[in-house]
Amino acid sequence: QVQLVESGGGVVQAGGSLRLSCAASGRTISSLAMAWFRQPPGKEREFVATINRGGGATYYSESVKGRMTISRDIAKNTLFLQMNSLKPEDTAMYYCAIRVSSGDGIYTTVSSYDYWGRGTQVTVSS
């Protein structure tokens, strides 16, 4: 069993920055693919960014590319999402997810991930 706990959300003005954290327990993240998703109010959960199991490859949605950076700290067993130049349309509940199933690819769908955190709210005011 894997537990994921997100933190770092809050209210920020457009153009500002936030850094989200996702602390994992129950498994080491060093050999597992992880990702960030978000769910805007009234909409479906959508992919934001992922890092592959080896940590050598990342992939971003077009809407956040160049503004957000996914990274991980193996020693802390924690995933991060650095968010810069935030826009009102970035307002959403942000979730981290981890894939324990086999595979070395880049995964961008909700169904590809096995465990989820409860989320952290990000609100960007205009």
Side-chain angles (χ1 to χ4, degrees), residues 75-111:
K76 295 181 179 180
N77 220 38
T78 299
L79 181 74
F80 299 101
L81 184 68
Q82 178 66 44
M83 307 189 296
N84 300 325
S85 303
L86 283 163
K87 305 175 182 180
E89 50 263 44
D90 293 319
T91 294
M93 184 72 79
Y94 282 71
Y95 299 90
C96 72
I98 194 166
R99 176 183 171 91
V100 300
S101 307
S102 61
D104 294 323
I106 292 290
Y107 303 96
T108 63
T109 62
V110 170
S111 60

Side-chain angles (χ1 to χ4, degrees), residues 33-54:
M34 296 188 73
W36 287 97
F37 286 75
R38 66 187 182 186
Q39 188 163 11
K43 296 185 179 181
E44 294 186 351
R45 196 168 298 190
E46 63 185 28
F47 168 76
V48 175
T50 184
I51 185 166
N52 74 332
R53 60 186 296 176

Side-chain angles (χ1 to χ4, degrees), residues 1-125:
Q1 191 77 2
V2 180
Q3 291 80 42
L4 302 172
V5 179
E6 302 95 336
S7 62
V11 180
V12 63
Q13 288 189 333
S17 298
L18 283 174
R19 188 192 195 203
L20 304 185
S21 299
C22 173
S25 59
R27 288 281 296 270
T28 178
I29 67 172
S30 61
S31 60
L32 300 176
M34 296 188 73
W36 287 97
F37 286 75
R38 66 187 182 186
Q39 188 163 11
K43 296 185 179 181
E44 294 186 351
R45 196 168 298 190
E46 63 185 28
F47 168 76
V48 175
T50 184
I51 185 166
N52 74 332
R53 60 186 296 176
T58 57
Y59 184 79
Y60 299 89
S61 69
E62 286 299 319
S63 62
V64 308
K65 191 178 295 184
R67 300 188 298 119
M68 297 189 186
T69 303
I70 189 171
S71 63
R72 65 185 191 180
D73 185 327
I74 300 302
K76 295 181 179 180
N77 220 38
T78 299
L79 181 74
F80 299 101
L81 184 68
Q82 178 66 44
M83 307 189 296
N84 300 325
S85 303
L86 283 163
K87 305 175 182 180
E89 50 263 44
D90 293 319
T91 294
M93 184 72 79
Y94 282 71
Y95 299 90
C96 72
I98 194 166
R99 176 183 171 91
V100 300
S101 307
S102 61
D104 294 323
I106 292 290
Y107 303 96
T108 63
T109 62
V110 170
S111 60
S112 296
Y113 292 88
D114 302 295
Y115 294 96
W116 295 79
R118 293 188 175 183
T120 185
Q121 177 68 38
V122 172
T123 302
V124 184
S125 61

